[in-house]
Amino acid sequence: MTDPASPRYAPLYQQIKTLLVRRLASNEWPPGSALPSEIALAQGYNVSQGTVRKALTAMEKEHLVERRQGRGTFAARHSQQRSLFQFFHLMSDANERQLPDSRVISCRSGTATAAERNALTLEAGTPVTRIRRVRQLDGRPVISESLTVPTTLFPGLESRPLEQVPNTLYEFFEAEYGVMIVHATERLRATAATTTEAELLGVDIGTPLLAIDRLALNIENRPVEWRESCCHTAHHYYFNELD
Amino acid sequence: MTDPASPRYAPLYQQIKTLLVRRLASNEWPPGSALPSEIALAQGYNVSQGTVRKALTAMEKEHLVERRQGRGTFAARHSQQRSLFQFFHLMSDANERQLPDSRVISCRSGTATAAERNALTLEAGTPVTRIRRVRQLDGRPVISESLTVPTTLFPGLESRPLEQVPNTLYEFFEAEYGVMIVHATERLRATAATTTEAELLGVDIGTPLLAIDRLALNIENRPVEWRESCCHTAHHYYFNELD
DNA sequence: GAGTGGTCTAGACCACCCC
DNA sequence: GGGTGGTCTAGACCACTCG
């Protein structure tokens, strides 16, 4: 009798994928660098090219690698393009996607609150760094944003001058700290603008805002960033494709 | 000189996929029925099994067919499961997904408004059928919903008794009218409850609501249904996965 | 046991990129 | 021209389902 809940067998290409992801996570191939060719990898693992190919195809679907015909396979880089299409879902009424500018209000360290510990699964007393900023689209303040990361993962972040906190954070996290955000979940609600939000966004208190609660995960599926964004949806909307 | 904008070449498996989708759209294989085996299809098109397999894999990703090892490949059926996971994104604060009940308020025909013509790309004067309903979760009214479909696609819908307008409409559209909803886009905004919405949802006028504007497309990517849902997000949230 | 989809292999050829 | 990923084939074997 075998345990019916245990996996009966694991396809080779999944095992290969696991091994490749592990090497990727260990930074053996830094973002943007080329992986060995499919044939070389296949020889290394002593499997056929088709098996490696299937593993890479799965990894490409998860945005872990990029492949270009005639060039090779590359460790994914967190480009602005990717921030825009994978992570930023606000579009203007004219159906244009555009990355917002940021005005950083504060960037400080502290001790994780219960809510932060819960979201990021941290121990009591863990130090965290918090960023507050307002993001603008077409010159209008549209998003009031507040995010938390564990300080240990991003040392020194809290002591940067506010002007030197970059706009596209995930690109920065990757380049500066080797932390790759590859996946996220979002929870959306309608809320009423608080006094602070009203002031930051230039709207009346109580104006309906779209609150986005995001948890961002790294390549090992560990929570890395918790973010709350309050969006003024008078001239923009949150776009989602159901497929 | 070839036109650089024209496709240089089309992979075989894509051509096969196009042919299979066409046969599926023509109702040659009604929802739930079995397609011929991969080997039979391959012989029919005079290609290898691997090529048919690649076409079917792509179709499975688009929820057009379901494949089960040892059983066969089946034309996709619009199950409640699918309504729940692909199309219904509200979850309770306890992180439970559950399909809502519906109380139909009205179901009538009329002439398409400018907004409806625009959303569904209809000609002026086209008859449409509109349904208004309130949807409940855990006994609480949570969604005020209003949707429009072209009458020609769903004849007789407008003259059904209100109690006989089914809860899971996409399942019904498919079973009764042969219209398969396979894809949709949603636009989300925060709005303030109008008098009507406040009454239907049992909230105060001006309460922030999550407005979801959905356009649902059929297998040929033609717009079929336009739906506006106003959700009370005090005890539920809209869930989205970014990958 | 017969039939189905799923995996794996090996090899050929094609489209693309860069030197 | 040589290297890369992308397609296509043919055949073997495995895992699952059903009668």
Side-chain angles (χ1 to χ4, degrees), chain B residues 12-13 48 51 54 69 71:
Chain B
L12 234 193
Y13 73 87
S48 80
T51 302
K54 226 181 160 181
Q69 185 173 134
R71 304 262 333 258

Side-chain angles (χ1 to χ4, degrees), chain A residues 12-13 48 51 54 69-71:
Chain A
L12 235 192
Y13 72 88
S48 81
T51 301
K54 228 180 158 181
Q69 186 173 131
R71 303 264 333 261

Side-chain angles (χ1 to χ4, degrees), chain B residues 165-216:
Chain B
V165 174
N167 182 22
T168 52
L169 281 175
Y170 294 170
E171 233 176 322
F172 170 70
F173 286 172
E174 175 182 294
E176 201 71 15
Y177 296 102
V179 174
M180 292 179 281
I181 306 289
V182 302
H183 186 242
T185 56
E186 293 192 329
R187 292 164 158 74
L188 282 69
R189 293 184 137 92
T191 61
T194 63
T195 315
T196 315
E197 289 158 357
E199 194 167 324
L200 291 171
L201 298 177
V203 300
D204 292 337
I205 294 175
T207 301
L209 298 178
L210 180 63
I212 307 176
D213 180 321
R214 175 193 291 177
L215 189 64

Side-chain angles (χ1 to χ4, degrees), chain A residues 186-215:
Chain A
E186 294 193 329
R187 292 164 158 73
L188 281 70
R189 293 184 136 94
T191 61
T194 62
T195 314
T196 316
E197 289 157 358
E199 194 168 322
L200 290 172
L201 298 177
V203 300
D204 293 337
I205 294 174
T207 301
L209 298 178
L210 180 63
I212 307 176
D213 180 321
R214 176 193 291 177
L215 189 64

